[in-house]
Amino acid sequence: MAWLEKRNGTYRVCHRVGRKVKRILAYTDKAASLGMLTRLEKELAKGKEGLTDPYAEHRDRPITDHLADWTNSLRQLGRAENYVRTVESRMKRLTEECGWQLLADINVDSFADWREKAMGEYSHNAKDETLLKQAKENPEPMSPRTKNHYLEAMRSFCLWCVKRKRLEVNPIGGLEKLDASEDVR
């Protein structure tokens, strides 16, 4: 049961949560506030019947929060720290370069576009300053094998999100690996 209260010319929609009364700021217009009251009562009724959206609480959270939860989960499962750091850095690179802010932003097209244009970073293999400078100035396309590693990290993250009821389906589930047999580096 919900009701309206008016304080200082503004309405509030009120309802009980256990023994406490929760008040939500509504509008100065009574008709608009009644509309808000009706919507709230419908949502409360859906919740009592088990019809609420299980993904709603995760929709507006930044993807970086989900990544932090995922890596913590990997650590709790006893995965090697080197592995956790590697997949975490791959996912951070993907989120930045694909422009993903929320879980809903993840899609096959943005990942496929990234995979097509991805450039490798060989600077970590450079032994001296001149090679390091050359590697940074002339990046080469990423190898198919490395792109497949990024895909596997992405799949792992998305499957974790599905299992934890953060995503309804795996948005990149149907994406195939690249053939890495032709370009061995």
Side-chain angles (χ1 to χ4, degrees):
M1 170 88 184
W3 65 93
L4 283 180
E5 284 182 359
K6 186 176 182 179
R7 289 187 186 172
N8 300 327
T10 304
Y11 289 93
R12 286 168 175 71
V13 176
C14 307
H15 66 97
R16 290 199 180 276
V17 178
R19 293 181 179 228
K20 296 183 178 181
V21 174
K22 184 173 181 182
R23 291 176 173 82
I24 303 167
L25 188 63
Y27 308 100
T28 55
D29 180 41
K30 187 173 184 176
S33 299
L34 282 170
M36 186 175 178
L37 172 74
T38 306
R39 286 191 303 274
L40 176 70
E41 284 181 330
K42 285 181 183 178
E43 289 300 316
L44 290 172
K46 284 180 184 177
K48 289 178 183 174
E49 306 236 351
L51 299 174
T52 57
D53 182 7
Y55 311 102
E57 69 178 283
H58 300 292
R59 279 206 180 95
D60 296 330
R61 286 182 59 205
I63 198 168
T64 53
D65 291 354
H66 297 289
L67 287 173
D69 293 346
W70 176 58
T71 55
N72 287 337
S73 173
L74 291 174
R75 286 183 178 98
Q76 288 174 357
L77 290 171
R79 301 296 188 261
E81 188 59 33
N82 189 31
Y83 169 76
V84 174
R85 280 195 313 268
T86 302
V87 293
E88 182 179 31
S89 69
R90 287 179 180 154
M91 288 303 301
K92 284 182 180 178
R93 179 176 179 180
L94 282 173
T95 57
E96 289 171 10
E97 294 182 10
C98 293
W100 299 331
Q101 301 294 317
L102 304 171
L103 290 176
D105 297 336
I106 300 171
N107 61 54
V108 173
D109 293 333
S110 62
F111 182 82
D113 289 345
W114 173 86
R115 186 165 70 171
E116 193 174 299
K117 300 171 187 169
M119 301 301 280
E121 295 177 5
Y122 298 104
S123 58
H124 63 276
N125 292 333
K127 301 291 184 220
D128 64 10
E129 290 299 317
T130 56
L131 290 176
L132 180 67
K133 186 177 178 183
Q134 288 174 351
K136 287 185 177 182
E137 289 175 356
N138 302 317
E140 293 184 23
M142 191 180 285
S143 74
R145 183 174 178 207
T146 304
K147 291 177 184 179
N148 287 339
H149 290 311
Y150 276 86
L151 175 62
E152 285 306 312
M154 189 70 221
R155 275 191 186 149
S156 176
F157 172 69
C158 289
L159 287 174
W160 178 85
C161 287
V162 169
K163 287 179 184 175
R164 297 289 175 101
K165 299 269 189 247
R166 295 173 186 229
L167 281 173
E168 194 169 349
V169 294
N170 185 346
I172 61 157
L175 205 56
E176 297 291 325
K177 285 185 174 183
L178 299 173
D179 181 18
S181 63
E182 297 295 318
D183 186 10
V184 179
R185 298 184 190 187

